[in-house]
Amino acid sequence: MRNTKILAGSSHPELAALVSKRLGTPLSDCTLQKFSNKETNVEIRVSVRNEDVFIIQSGSNNMNDNIIELCIMIQAARIGSGKRITAVLPYFPYCKQSKRKGRTSITAKLVANMLAVAGVDHIITMDLHASQMQGFFQRPVDNLYAEPVIARWITQTVPNWQNGVIVSKNAGGAKRVTSLADALRLDFALIHKDRSRMGPQGQNRPYSGMPKSGEGESSVRVFEEEEVVNDDVEDLTASISSLNEAGVNGDVLNAAVTVVADKDGESTITLVGDVKGKVAFLTDDIIDSVGTFLDAADHLVKKCEADKVYIIATHGVLSGDAIKKIEACDSVYKLVVTNTFPIPKEKMDQSSKLIVIDISNTLAEAIRRTHNGESVSYLFNHAE
């Protein structure tokens, strides 16, 4: 592409190289280094004056360094008189910290502000954890979707995929799975994990607002103004309503119930929908620690008699020993992620179940359309 410079950060050079190859535009020379005191230094070694600059920098296991490095690269391109600077973040850092819980920061909003202050003009990302995050930015945002690429992979790779069910591992992901189910014209279901009724040893939990024995009214818990009320109940109600509208009877839960133990005590897992004898596609946007996925997979196979379980996620963060846990779980047939998040080779070598889908075509086409002033909405429903 003419009058274009593509720069790659240090977080995911393999993906940047693939995008560059798809575009037929070589990566521009850029030196990234750290001084002895751990400060980051960036030097763009080509002219970017009046050029359309695209900086590819995803989140990785060095998230904080990635953010600072990206901001410095944006600033360097801005000072170098770049005409327009676009940050391409396949995985947006801190995307899970998008709302307040008690006295916490809305860190995703902070990162968005940092990019704006650094001088970015446009942002391209993929599958934001919450679509409302687009309102955090002071610059235009294109939030791409991996769904078309995932749907194509399913239809081209999975035997008997027509006998499948798209399953959400929690109520909050219902909208995501219904979209994929509509694209594939498959049924969908959701798993509800209820912690509210079980105490540490399985006893019913007391209502937290009731005074304890021997205490007066002053012990009644009052929610402070800055606390955020958990909206899981509203999510579940809305999700079951969606299931009813789609013809799934949400009033009749699957009879099988699994009780699992975690750090918060015991909780129950219930399936809304039917997966008996079917291929279950357990879907979410991010897979990090895999405990909830494994509990859901065990429930689908052992209690609900699913034929196979594919775990599918856009961003394969897979922290710690997540890969080993997936490999050891007999209920998981395959783990499918895209390459938005870099997975070290040593981790990939640990698993025979891991499949990585390349989304560089989608990112490259988004960059091409952005450069040429074309609409990117076509990519929301079509795989490249």
Side-chain angles (χ1 to χ4, degrees), residues 356-375:
V356 180
I357 302 174
D358 181 21
I359 46 82
S360 61
N361 264 355
T362 301
L363 295 173
E365 182 62 14
I367 290 173
R368 188 194 68 79
R369 287 171 177 262
T370 299
H371 174 68
N372 294 332
E374 302 173 16
S375 172

Side-chain angles (χ1 to χ4, degrees), residues 155-380:
T155 58
Q156 293 180 353
T157 308
V158 179
N160 197 27
W161 64 269
Q162 296 90 340
N163 186 38
V165 180
I166 311 298
V167 183
S168 173
K169 72 178 180 68
N170 53 40
K175 291 182 179 179
R176 186 177 299 108
V177 300
T178 53
S179 178
L180 181 58
D182 289 343
L184 295 172
R185 298 186 178 182
L186 296 178
D187 292 333
F188 61 94
L190 68 87
I191 286 176
H192 178 52
K193 190 172 184 179
D194 186 5
R195 294 187 177 93
S196 62
R197 300 179 185 177
M198 305 294 288
Q201 283 78 40
Q203 303 97 343
N204 289 334
R205 287 180 178 170
Y207 172 54
S208 59
M210 294 296 291
K212 297 179 182 179
S213 176
E215 295 181 353
E217 294 183 0
S218 61
S219 65
V220 175
R221 181 170 181 256
V222 179
F223 284 95
E224 297 185 15
E225 183 178 353
E226 68 269 27
E227 290 192 68
V228 176
V229 178
N230 192 308
D231 55 0
D232 284 348
V233 175
E234 294 180 3
D235 286 344
L236 179 61
T237 303
S239 302
I240 293 179
S241 298
S242 300
L243 288 166
N244 286 330
E245 291 173 3
V248 177
N249 186 2
D251 294 328
V252 181
L253 303 182
N254 190 292
V257 174
T258 299
V259 178
V260 296
D262 55 25
K263 63 181 180 180
D264 297 321
E266 292 182 340
S267 55
T268 60
I269 297 177
T270 309
L271 177 70
V272 183
D274 181 26
V275 298
K276 185 175 181 179
K278 298 182 179 181
V279 179
F281 300 102
L282 187 58
T283 307
D284 206 353
D285 61 327
I286 301 172
I287 179 167
D288 190 355
S289 57
V290 296
T292 306
F293 281 96
L294 299 185
D295 290 341
D298 283 337
H299 181 73
L300 291 172
V301 172
K302 297 176 181 179
K303 294 294 182 70
C304 303
E305 302 180 28
D307 183 29
K308 292 179 181 177
V309 173
Y310 289 79
I311 295 178
I312 300 177
T314 302
H315 309 296
V317 179
L318 299 170
S319 299
D321 58 352
I323 290 285
K324 292 182 179 179
K325 290 179 179 178
I326 290 284
E327 194 69 16
C329 181
D330 295 333
S331 299
V332 177
Y333 180 68
K334 293 292 181 183
L335 168 63
V336 183
V337 298
T338 73
N339 58 344
T340 56
F341 193 95
I343 302 175
K345 186 178 184 301
E346 54 270 22
K347 278 193 174 183
M348 296 184 67
D349 292 341
Q350 292 174 4
S351 177
S352 60
K353 298 180 180 180
L354 178 62
I355 297 173
V356 180
I357 302 174
D358 181 21
I359 46 82
S360 61
N361 264 355
T362 301
L363 295 173
E365 182 62 14
I367 290 173
R368 188 194 68 79
R369 287 171 177 262
T370 299
H371 174 68
N372 294 332
E374 302 173 16
S375 172
V376 300
S377 59
Y378 173 85
L379 300 176
F380 297 162

Side-chain angles (χ1 to χ4, degrees), residues 27-66:
L27 293 172
S28 297
D29 190 12
C30 181
T31 301
L32 308 171
Q33 61 179 339
K34 282 187 176 295
F35 294 133
S36 58
N37 62 356
K38 304 301 181 182
E39 289 183 356
T40 299
N41 180 57
V42 172
E43 181 183 359
I44 302 174
R45 303 180 69 87
V46 295
S47 174
V48 296
R49 184 176 297 275
N50 289 326
E51 296 280 307
D52 204 358
V53 181
F54 294 88
I55 304 174
I56 302 174
Q57 176 83 316
S58 190
S60 74
N61 291 324
N62 298 313
M63 201 75 70
N64 295 332
D65 285 346
N66 299 153

